[in-house]
């Protein structure tokens, strides 16, 4: 809600009152924001009142827009991981060697 004009003093002012979540840009603004402007003639001068209301999502489309906000995030449960264990042949070991063998000592 924005109220602007001469409220109590000679100089015009604008007062803003905000509460909650209000989107202001993009395509969803056309569907989600309901806006109204009225001008009131007072004894001291004109006062302007601007009201913006964000409607909530309604799947049926009766009390609000049918389309969902694009920033809506759905978190799914993670899939269970299946651990795959491949058997290693005993004669090969790692790298194709038959295991670790100590180097042979040289004879003199």
């Amino acid at each position: 809600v924005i109220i602007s004009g001469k409220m109590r003093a000679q100089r015009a002012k604008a007062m803003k009152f905000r509460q909650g979540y209000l989107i202001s840009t993009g395509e969803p603004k056309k569907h989600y924001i309901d806006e109204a402007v009225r001008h009131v003639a007072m004894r001291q001068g004109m006062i302007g009142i601007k009201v913006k209301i964000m409607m909530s999502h309604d799947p049926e489309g009766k009390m609000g827009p049918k389309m969902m906000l694009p920033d809506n995030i759905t978190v799914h449960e993670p899939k269970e991981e299946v651990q795959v264990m491949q058997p290693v042949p005993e004669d090969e070991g790692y790298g194709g060697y038959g295991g670790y063998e100590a180097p042979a000592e040289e004879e003199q």
Side-chain angles (χ1 to χ4, degrees):
V1 177
I2 301 172
I3 301 172
S4 60
K6 291 184 187 178
M7 262 62 88
R8 295 180 195 170
Q10 226 14 57
R11 185 172 288 270
K13 293 185 179 180
M15 298 171 64
K16 293 183 181 181
F17 303 95
R18 288 188 60 163
Q19 183 178 3
Y21 182 66
L22 182 73
I23 57 173
S24 60
T25 60
E27 180 69 21
K29 180 184 175 188
K30 297 176 185 174
H31 303 285
Y32 276 89
I33 302 295
D34 195 11
E35 187 174 354
V37 177
R38 293 290 179 259
H39 303 288
V40 180
M42 303 289 282
R43 188 168 37 108
Q44 290 183 329
M46 295 293 284
I47 291 180
I49 300 172
K50 183 186 287 187
V51 178
K52 289 183 183 180
I53 297 175
M54 182 168 170
M55 297 179 284
S56 61
H57 170 69
D58 183 19
E60 286 99 33
K62 294 178 183 175
M63 296 294 291
K66 206 173 202 178
M67 65 176 278
M68 294 182 71
L69 282 172
D71 62 351
N72 189 14
I73 297 172
T74 305
V75 178
H76 299 287
E77 292 293 324
K79 294 180 182 177
E80 286 193 31
E81 293 184 20
V82 179
Q83 294 183 357
V84 179
M85 301 279 293
Q86 295 183 355
V88 177
E90 291 180 19
D91 59 333
E92 288 186 20
Y94 291 103
Y97 302 110
Y100 179 76
E101 294 181 15
E105 294 183 17
E106 293 180 21
E107 292 183 28
Q108 293 182 357

